[in-house]
Amino acid sequence: MDTTDIAASGRSFSKGLGFRKSLMTLAASVMLATSAQAATPSTDEVNTTGLAVTDDTVTVGILHSITGTMAISEIGSVQAEKLAIDQINASGGVLGRQIDFVQEDGASDWPTFAEKSRKLLRQDNVAAIFGAWTSASRKAVLPVMEQYNGMLYYPTFYEGLEQSPNVVYTGQEATQQILASLNWAAETKGAKSFYLLGSDYIWPRTSNKIARKHIEDKLGLKVSGEEYYPLGHTQFNSVINKIKLKKPDVIFASVVGGSNVAFYKQMKAAGIDFTDEKPLLLTISVTEDEIRGIGGENVDGIYASMKYFQSLDNANNEEFVAAFKEAYGDDMVIGDVTQAAYLGPWLWKAAVEKAGSFDIDKIREEFAGIEFKKAPEGYVRIHENHHLWSKTRIGQAQTDGQYKVVFETEELMEPDPFPEGYQ
């Protein structure tokens, strides 16, 4: 196939010959295998379970919130998944087939996520679903994936305590993100007291349960307070006053979505200067995507624990950032979850080609040990528990909306979704 002939509709968002040529260049650099592509196997051979696979195409699903309070966080994931799909198509597709996609809107509503995932699996017969963001949306989708034997590639950092044969978790779990960041705050910044603040749903509550156990039982330190507010909440003056009264060393924040805009602006209006680190604010939920909506001047000096920042200095990331901006505009930013979403289609492609089949049961057997050496974060590998080995990094927010990396684990951290003593 001449990759410059990819249509600019359905399975491609390319906007001209120049962009398609740049896709060809980048796709060549991120190919997971360098051997010559074998003859396209027959559809009967690679699809024995009625998936949407033809002699020429394979259809996947994209399921994120593009409306509602979570859209500020999830739109980047959609963009990254489409970029990966376009690059894979430009490099020859998967088992000789071009990828089509059906996109659905979870609308920041958990029952809607369940309904749309069922539609994708039962009506559209997609071969994979790249989607969900909050743990509540993942929990809503999970029973559907397991009932109909679909495969979800979930990109968000989350609380752990889960392992499903029908999910690949491309974001970090709690031991990789939460525990490492608390250790850093205690060891590097001398923190003795923490105020836990989050949105009111499963991820922040479970994350803070783990954080409290670690702070009190493992580090022997103090939790000064713990508060939760509904998704979309915009009035934080009460908790800000409580924080001023308690004077914790660290605010450990897991506020998500549009609520972040109000929270950080109100913190600044209350006279809290994060660059003074009194208190130090450590977030596990504010990526560059959220800062774009919050404003860099409102988060200057906060710290975030992630595995990826757009500012990472490596060749893989340089190529990824350039391609993302060429596709969506120079003013676009890339956060941790956006990058993790980008990994999903590439890891799916690797598993399918290793299995020689699109059948879910066959690719599941091949996940353990699959590597992606061209990941923008540097390098990842799938663990037998369907999570990724990855590094943890701490970044400090700058006024330009980017993070400056101030800490990085020396080695990849093994994923441990069921850590002893935290369940």
Side-chain angles (χ1 to χ4, degrees), residues 148-216:
Y148 298 113
N149 198 29
M151 189 63 71
L152 174 69
Y153 295 77
Y154 176 67
T156 313
F157 36 73
Y158 86 113
E159 68 279 359
L161 307 181
E162 181 181 296
Q163 179 182 333
S164 171
N166 296 90
V167 181
V168 175
Y169 307 82
T170 64
Q172 290 185 305
E173 48 77 30
T175 65
Q176 295 170 304
Q177 185 190 26
I178 298 172
L179 305 187
S181 67
L182 294 173
N183 290 342
W184 171 83
E187 295 167 7
T188 304
K189 296 295 184 177
K192 298 290 190 295
S193 59
F194 297 76
Y195 201 106
L196 311 181
L197 177 64
S199 296
D200 193 5
Y201 72 100
I202 186 173
W203 175 64
R205 283 191 173 273
T206 307
S207 294
N208 283 340
K209 179 181 178 181
I210 293 169
R212 179 182 281 272
K213 277 183 170 291
H214 192 67
I215 291 165
E216 295 179 338

Side-chain angles (χ1 to χ4, degrees), residues 69-308:
T69 190
M70 291 309 303
I72 185 176
S73 298
E74 298 193 49
I75 288 175
S77 295
V78 175
Q79 293 171 326
E81 287 154 1
K82 289 181 179 179
L83 176 61
I85 288 169
D86 221 39
Q87 290 172 350
I88 292 169
N89 283 340
S91 69
V94 182
L95 293 182
R97 291 160 173 83
Q98 293 287 284
I99 306 169
D100 282 332
F101 62 84
V102 178
Q103 182 178 339
E104 296 291 348
D105 181 11
S108 306
D109 178 70
W110 322 143
T112 299
F113 268 94
E115 173 192 344
K116 296 299 186 180
S117 65
R118 186 174 291 105
K119 182 256 184 188
L120 287 170
L121 292 178
R122 300 298 292 164
Q123 182 176 323
D124 300 310
N125 299 310
V126 297
I129 294 178
F130 306 103
W133 201 100
T134 66
S135 286
S137 63
R138 188 192 71 254
K139 290 291 189 182
V141 167
L142 184 59
V144 181
M145 304 303 298
E146 293 182 342
Q147 179 180 1
Y148 298 113
N149 198 29
M151 189 63 71
L152 174 69
Y153 295 77
Y154 176 67
T156 313
F157 36 73
Y158 86 113
E159 68 279 359
L161 307 181
E162 181 181 296
Q163 179 182 333
S164 171
N166 296 90
V167 181
V168 175
Y169 307 82
T170 64
Q172 290 185 305
E173 48 77 30
T175 65
Q176 295 170 304
Q177 185 190 26
I178 298 172
L179 305 187
S181 67
L182 294 173
N183 290 342
W184 171 83
E187 295 167 7
T188 304
K189 296 295 184 177
K192 298 290 190 295
S193 59
F194 297 76
Y195 201 106
L196 311 181
L197 177 64
S199 296
D200 193 5
Y201 72 100
I202 186 173
W203 175 64
R205 283 191 173 273
T206 307
S207 294
N208 283 340
K209 179 181 178 181
I210 293 169
R212 179 182 281 272
K213 277 183 170 291
H214 192 67
I215 291 165
E216 295 179 338
D217 298 346
K218 305 296 183 179
L219 299 177
L221 303 176
K222 179 183 178 182
V223 173
S224 301
E226 186 171 352
E227 300 270 351
Y228 298 94
Y229 292 90
L231 286 169
H233 186 76
T234 59
Q235 298 299 322
F236 290 95
N237 290 321
S238 175
V239 73
I240 291 171
N241 288 333
K242 291 179 183 178
I243 289 170
K244 283 185 167 183
L245 182 64
K246 295 281 189 177
K247 294 182 170 31
D249 295 325
V250 175
I251 302 170
F252 189 71
S254 51
V255 177
V256 305
S259 295
N260 278 305
V261 178
F263 174 63
Y264 287 97
K265 286 185 176 180
Q266 288 167 26
M267 289 283 282
K268 183 176 182 180
I272 295 178
D273 184 352
F274 296 122
T275 61
D276 289 342
E277 300 185 6
K278 295 179 181 180
L280 179 150
L281 192 139
L282 176 60
T283 177
I284 55 172
S285 59
V286 174
T287 75
E288 293 88 338
D289 291 301
E290 285 77 20
I291 293 178
R292 191 164 184 257
I294 298 166
E297 70 279 6
N298 296 311
V299 295
D300 183 27
I302 74 168
Y303 291 92
S305 174
M306 307 282 169
K307 65 174 182 171
Y308 172 85

Side-chain angles (χ1 to χ4, degrees), residues 14-35:
S14 302
K15 298 179 181 177
L17 182 59
F19 181 54
R20 289 196 293 271
K21 286 183 176 179
S22 69
L23 280 178
M24 292 168 61
T25 301
L26 180 56
S29 73
V30 294
M31 288 293 287
L32 297 176
T34 57
S35 58

